[in-house]
């Protein structure tokens, strides 16, 4: 019996590293009105119980129960989006200032999971895994957008019905339950050849209820929508594997499996977000329809080797994935000055992915561990994606063709009970295209990040000198419409989403 408990309470700035276009990518500066924060607290408890039985050729029966309770709050500056809405009601701000509009998100998640499985451990030619799984998820979330400062201007009703004035107040309640059974049989048709067949049978139930108030919030009485939708899905996902072990040091395999993701519902698009005329012009439905589940067919061949007494390991694989009815966010702009981003989920067609991976690890001498890996992925849309203006055959957004990583770690005794440690790691992400928040596709350049550490250890105490992003590279992850010019020297509403700069520090730790 193995119990475990994890508790964490975190508080940080909610803004991801940005750099306003006006200031340049390397400046890593962002213009904003409202301070932001993110608070996240959670507990995770689990209990693992195992026991071995001699029946049915011998098997181990395990029960794994877990419970999650998470609370989170986030405050974010959306002045660039929503100040124009306030200006439409009360007029321009004094001196051309924008009205600061902070967004507050809150959430509470409770989830219980239970899995029971039996795994054979006998010496016979037939081996098995059977089990059952249950999950119960409850999520309560909400979003409120208010006006932090009207600069002395009196807001008319309904905006002035509450204090502070409310632009939007939304609550969502979501419940999902899942029950599944799974099993796999592995049979040694020859001493070195095994075949395996398995499947997972599942059933989902979902319920989502949401209520949204517009200008003035609940006090203002502007109910934008109130819905309660249900969804049920069930199915079977199979898995087949053929493996060949020419020696204890090598395994060759081929496999086929299916993947599955549940569908869901979309919230209505209301007039206060986007008028009926604008919806017709943009081709946006009043109530986006529910979206269906999507599935993948996965094919893979590969090899795993252990050479030189296990000090050298080489693993390689090639795969193909056919993704059917894939789910994608449909995004466009609407509202006053196109300041509101409309987003809902649709089934967008098919994606084909082809690729390969290679991993190598080596321990040539005592204390030295080296590893490297690389991957190639060619993922393309098999049909046109109109809202992104992408023709059929275009590369899938945010999926680079090439990635690689390398790392090395060396430990050596220094005497007097001290151990020295050197560590270095590099990670490369190739160039790709990234989807911008309003549907525009922008290039994202390749980048390589290098980290290094040098330290000493004695007993359970370690002192390390570390540097992250050694060469002070500026990785650009995308662009966002998030800045608030008007109270700074910024002149653009756009920001680069960039990584943190080179950081040098000393870390002291003690093992418990």
């Amino acid at each position: 019996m193995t119990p475990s408990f994890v508790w964490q309470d975190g508080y940080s700035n909610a803004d991801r590293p940005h750099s306003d276009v006006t200031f340049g990518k390397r400046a890593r500066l962002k213009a904003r009105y409202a301070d932001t924060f993110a608070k996240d607290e959670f507990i995770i408890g689990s209990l693992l119980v195992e026991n071995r039985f001699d029946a049915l050729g011998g098997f181990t029966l395990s029960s794994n129960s877990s419970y999650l309770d998470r609370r989170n709050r986030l405050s974010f500056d959306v002045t660039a989006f929503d100040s124009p809405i306030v200006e439409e009601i009360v007029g321009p701000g004094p001196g051309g200032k924008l009205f600061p509009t902070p967004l507050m998100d809150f959430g509470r998640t409770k989830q219980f999971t239970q899995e029971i499985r039996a795994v054979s451990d006998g010496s016979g030619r037939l081996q098995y895994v059977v089990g059952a799984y249950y999950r119960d998820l409850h999520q309560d979330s909400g979003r409120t957008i208010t006006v932090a400062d009207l600069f002395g201007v009196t807001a008319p009703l309904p905006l002035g019905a509450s204090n502070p004035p409310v632009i939007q107040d939304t609550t969502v309640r979501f419940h999902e339950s899942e029950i599944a059974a799974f099993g796999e049989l592995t049979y040694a048709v020859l001493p070195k050849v095994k075949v395996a067949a398995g499947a997972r049978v599942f059933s989902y139930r979902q319920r989502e209820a949401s209520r949204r108030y517009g200008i003035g919030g609940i006090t203002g009485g502007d109910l934008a929508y109130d819905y309660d939708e249900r969804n049920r899905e069930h199915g079977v996902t199979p898995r087949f594997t053929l493996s060949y072990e020419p020696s204890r040091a090598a395994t060759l395999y081929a496999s086929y499996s299916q993947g599955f993701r549940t569908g869901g519902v979309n919230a209505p698009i209301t007039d206060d977000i986007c008028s009926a005329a604008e919806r017709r012009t943009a081709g946006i439905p009043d109530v986006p329809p529910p979206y269906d589940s999507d599935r993948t067919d996965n094919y893979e061949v590969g090899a795993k080797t252990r050479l030189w007494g296990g000090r050298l390991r080489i693993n390689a694989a090639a795969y193909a994935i056919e993704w059917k009815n894939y789910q994608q966010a449909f995004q466009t702009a609407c509202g006053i000055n196109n300041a509101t981003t409309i987003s809902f989920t649709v089934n967008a067609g098919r994606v084909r992915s082809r690729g390969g991976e290679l991993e190598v690890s080596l321990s040539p001498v005592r204390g030295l561990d080296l590893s490297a890996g690389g991957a190639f992925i060619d993922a393309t849309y098999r049909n046109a994606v109109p809202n992104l203006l992408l023709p059929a055959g275009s590369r899938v957004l945010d999926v680079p063709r090439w990635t690689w990583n390398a790392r090395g770690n060396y430990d050596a005794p220094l005497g007097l009970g001290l151990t020295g440690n050197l560590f270095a790691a590099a990670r490369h992400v190739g160039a790709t295209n990234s989807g911008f928040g309003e549907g525009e596709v922008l290039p994202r350049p390749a980048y390589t990040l290098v980290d290094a550490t040098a330290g000493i250890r004695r007993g359970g105490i370690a002192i390390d000198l570390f540097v992250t992003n050694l060469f002070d590279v500026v990785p650009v992850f995308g662009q966002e419409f998030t800045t608030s010019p008007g109270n700074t020297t910024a002149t653009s509403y756009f920001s680069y989403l960039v990584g943190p700069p080179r950081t040098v520090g000393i870390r002291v730790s003690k093992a418990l």
Side-chain angles (χ1 to χ4, degrees), residues 411-434:
D411 291 311
L414 301 178
L416 300 177
L418 296 174
T419 299
N421 172 262
L422 296 175
F423 171 82
R427 178 170 63 95
H428 174 81
V429 177
T432 183
N433 289 324
S434 181

Side-chain angles (χ1 to χ4, degrees), residues 438-462:
E438 295 183 11
E440 183 180 358
V441 176
L442 299 172
R444 190 183 70 186
Y447 61 88
T448 303
L449 301 176
V450 178
D451 302 332
T453 301
I456 56 174
R457 289 159 174 73
R458 183 174 182 177
I461 299 177

Side-chain angles (χ1 to χ4, degrees), residues 156-384:
L157 296 176
L159 179 62
S162 58
N163 186 26
V166 175
I167 297 176
Q168 178 191 133
D169 188 358
T170 305
T171 58
V172 181
R173 302 193 69 180
F174 178 77
H175 175 232
E176 180 177 80
S177 62
E178 174 191 2
I179 186 169
F182 56 89
E184 184 174 78
L185 296 176
T186 302
Y187 185 71
V189 295
L190 295 172
K192 296 183 178 182
V193 178
K194 296 180 181 180
V195 294
R200 187 175 188 271
V201 182
F202 59 86
S203 177
Y204 286 89
R205 289 187 177 184
Q206 296 175 327
R207 181 177 181 179
E208 181 175 298
S210 181
R211 178 178 297 173
R212 172 175 171 170
Y213 288 91
I215 304 297
I218 297 177
T219 308
D222 179 18
L223 181 62
Y225 59 72
D226 185 356
Y227 69 85
D228 190 337
E229 299 287 347
R230 300 171 187 260
N231 183 42
R232 297 183 61 179
E233 295 198 52
H234 61 273
V236 180
T237 54
R239 170 184 164 88
F240 304 96
T241 304
L242 173 65
S243 63
Y244 170 58
E245 298 182 12
S247 70
R248 292 185 177 181
T251 300
L252 308 177
Y253 68 91
S255 69
Y256 165 78
S257 63
Q258 282 189 349
F260 170 88
R261 182 170 53 173
T262 60
V265 299
N266 289 296
I269 309 298
T270 56
D271 289 345
D272 64 319
I273 301 174
C274 185
S275 70
E278 289 174 309
R279 293 198 297 270
R280 287 193 297 270
T281 301
I284 301 173
D286 295 339
V287 181
Y291 54 95
D292 296 328
S293 59
D294 53 5
R295 292 177 178 266
T296 60
D297 291 300
N298 314 304
Y299 307 85
E300 183 174 339
V301 294
K304 299 181 179 180
T305 64
R306 298 175 69 251
L307 308 173
W308 200 10
R311 288 190 289 175
L312 174 62
R313 297 171 182 253
I314 303 176
N315 299 330
Y319 63 86
I321 300 174
E322 296 290 340
W323 192 356
K324 303 173 184 177
N325 220 23
Y326 73 93
Q327 299 167 8
Q328 179 178 321
F330 180 96
Q331 293 181 325
T332 187
C334 197
I336 300 172
N337 297 328
N338 282 334
T340 301
T341 298
I342 305 297
S343 179
F344 53 90
T345 303
V346 298
N347 295 106
R350 302 169 70 97
V351 166
R352 175 181 295 171
S353 180
R354 303 286 188 268
E357 299 176 348
L358 177 65
E359 298 177 351
V360 180
S361 62
L362 175 64
S363 300
V365 296
R366 182 184 297 274
L368 178 60
D369 296 312
L370 305 172
S371 64
F376 171 78
I377 304 175
D378 182 25
T380 57
Y381 298 107
R382 306 314 297 164
N383 52 272

